């Protein structure tokens, strides 16, 4: 029997700052819903900002042996009470119909499945622009074959996964979305929930993200890592040996992915150099196990072996 699309949900959002996304989600939650914001400290700016809303704030504390996001997400899920859980992030625009779409798709979800989507990375930075085409191709593939889980939109019913086990494992790793994918019997990747996620595209931020993503793939999807490396290598060799075939073909496939997603950016023209850059980033990610993420530096040497090295200088509280 199909569930009612109007059944209440618990929306869990880990963040230290109140953003436009927080306001969007707060406006879309119904009186019977829960909006749980999970942060690190009672002094985080989001605590005061959320006091003006119906959101419930959970203070997770400092992370130990996991990322701050995973630590906060675990605390938020523990606080949530409804059967249907929706996890999201504060760093992208959700749009007015985001939660309504999640409700509708979640109500029709097969037993044992989770609902998610994939983000298209957009940037005004040079490195970020070069990597945009690969993001769009990856998203189009995830939507077509239902392979993607993204922390920005993860929805499931308590009976569909081992929630207690998921929460326990969140507190000893980094990749919340890849961890959920491992626990689901099936994934529904919704095209209607695809969103653009802005990134700054600086060298420092790009390398840190690639180390984190490469490590996540290495521990949970090594076949996918090998496939991405071989694809990038094939494009690079093709561009060198048969440029008049490879460049139009790769650019055309990327343009088709942009069109399928309704993504209107000129950056599809950068697909070939983007693949070359991605190969370099992938090698860098395999060679390094330390990265920065939202104000902290981590060392990630195995799926359940995470060291919180320190807060970065730009995030260190004033004395």
């Amino acid at each position: 029997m199909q569930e009612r699309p109007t059944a209440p949900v618990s929306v869990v959002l880990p963040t230290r700052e109140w953003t436009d996304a927080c306001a969007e989600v707060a406006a879309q939650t119904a009186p019977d819903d829960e909006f749980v914001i999970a942060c690190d400290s009672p002094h985080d700016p989001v605590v005061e900002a959320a006091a003006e809303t119906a959101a419930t704030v959970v203070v997770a504390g400092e992370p130990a042996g996991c990322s701050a996001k995973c630590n906060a997400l675990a605390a938020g899920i523990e606080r949530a009470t409804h059967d249907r859980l929706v996890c999201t992030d504060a760093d992208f625009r959700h749009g007015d119909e985001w939660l309504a779409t999640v409700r509708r798709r979640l109500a029709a979800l097969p037993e044992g499945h989770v609902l998610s989507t994939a983000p298209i990375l957009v940037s005004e930075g040079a490195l970020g622009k070069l990597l945009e085409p690969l993001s769009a191709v990856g998203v189009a593939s995830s939507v077509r074959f239902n392979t993607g889980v993204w922390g920005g939109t993860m929805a499931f019913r308590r009976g569909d996964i081992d929630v207690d086990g998921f929460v326990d494992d969140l507190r000893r790793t980094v990749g919340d979305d890849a961890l959920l994918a491992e626990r689901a019997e099936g994934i529904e990747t919704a095209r209607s929930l695809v969103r653009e996620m802005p990134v700054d595209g600086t060298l420092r931020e790009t390398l840190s993200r690639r180390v984190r993503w490469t490590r996540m793939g290495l521990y949970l999807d090594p076949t996918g890592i090998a496939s991405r490396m071989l694809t990038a290598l094939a494009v690079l060799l093709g561009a060198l040996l048969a440029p008049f075939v490879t460049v139009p073909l790769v650019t055309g496939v990327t343009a088709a992915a942009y069109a399928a997603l309704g993504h209107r950016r000129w950056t599809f023209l950068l697909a070939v150099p983007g693949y070359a850059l991605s190969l370099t980033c992938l090698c860098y990610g395999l060679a390094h196990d330390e990265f920065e993420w939202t104000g902290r530096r981590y060392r990630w040497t195995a799926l359940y072996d995470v060291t919180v090295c320190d807060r970065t200088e730009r995030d260190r509280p004033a004395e």
Side-chain angles (χ1 to χ4, degrees):
M1 184 181 205
Q2 194 175 83
E3 298 179 24
R4 292 182 300 112
T6 56
V9 299
S10 294
V11 182
V12 181
L13 192 158
T15 182
R16 288 180 290 169
E17 303 278 347
W18 182 270
T19 67
D20 290 340
C22 298
E24 286 179 317
V25 174
Q28 293 176 41
T29 51
D32 291 339
D33 296 331
E34 289 179 321
F35 182 24
V36 180
I37 292 177
C39 61
D40 299 344
S41 162
H43 305 296
D44 287 339
V46 74
V47 176
E48 183 177 354
E52 304 296 324
T53 73
T56 298
V57 176
V58 175
V59 177
E62 289 292 314
C66 66
S67 68
K69 182 192 175 182
C70 283
N71 188 51
L73 186 61
I77 292 174
E78 284 183 326
R79 171 61 179 80
T81 61
H82 290 313
D83 178 66
R84 302 198 301 172
L85 295 165
V86 181
C87 306
T88 189
D89 291 335
D91 57 355
F92 69 99
R93 296 301 300 265
H94 291 61
D96 294 339
E97 297 299 317
W98 175 80
L99 189 54
T101 303
V102 171
R103 287 183 198 276
R104 184 176 65 256
R105 298 295 294 262
L106 183 56
L109 204 64
E111 184 176 345
H113 284 54
V114 300
L115 174 69
S116 192
T117 189
I120 304 174
L121 304 186
V122 295
S123 174
E124 295 308 314
L127 286 179
K129 279 191 173 71
L130 280 169
L131 292 170
E132 272 186 42
L134 279 74
S135 171
V137 171
V139 172
S141 176
S142 293
V143 170
R144 174 64 180 83
F145 298 107
N146 286 316
T147 57
V149 175
W150 168 45
T153 302
M154 303 190 303
F156 50 91
R157 296 165 298 232
R158 291 183 182 274
D160 291 330
I161 68 165
D162 174 9
V163 175
D164 291 338
F166 180 50
V167 167
D168 289 343
D169 286 343
L170 280 171
R171 290 198 166 104
R172 56 196 189 110
T173 194
V174 171
D176 55 305
D177 37 20
L179 202 63
L180 180 62
E182 283 290 294
R183 283 154 173 72
E185 293 181 15
I187 300 166
E188 183 175 319
T189 307
R191 159 67 183 87
S192 57
L193 292 170
V194 170
R195 297 292 186 272
E196 294 182 353
M197 186 175 77
V199 296
D200 63 19
T202 62
L203 178 63
R204 180 175 181 174
E205 189 263 358
T206 297
L207 291 178
S208 283
R209 176 179 290 107
R210 293 294 152 171
V211 171
R212 174 162 54 94
W213 285 2
T214 302
R215 289 280 140 185
M216 192 184 307
L218 187 63
Y219 303 142
L220 289 169
D221 184 22
T223 302
I225 287 287
S227 176
R228 286 193 287 275
M229 178 171 283
L230 290 174
T231 299
L233 186 59
V235 170
L236 181 59
L237 290 176
L240 292 174
L241 301 177
F244 296 108
V245 174
T246 302
V247 173
L249 177 62
V250 172
T251 305
V253 168
T254 306
Y258 274 51
L261 297 170
H263 184 54
R264 294 178 174 85
R265 298 266 289 183
W266 64 269
T267 48
F268 72 91
L269 296 170
L270 302 175
V272 172
Y275 274 102
L277 177 60
S278 75
L279 185 60
T280 303
C281 290
L282 188 55
C283 292
Y284 182 89
L286 291 171
H288 294 77
D289 56 22
E290 288 193 18
F291 59 92
E292 293 180 11
W293 190 21
T294 59
R296 289 181 177 83
R297 174 168 286 276
Y298 301 93
R299 183 180 302 114
W300 194 10
T301 55
L303 179 59
Y304 297 123
D305 187 359
V306 181
T307 301
V308 184
C309 300
D310 201 0
R311 287 193 175 189
T312 61
E313 290 297 328
R314 58 184 173 182
D315 191 61
R316 202 179 296 276
E319 298 293 338

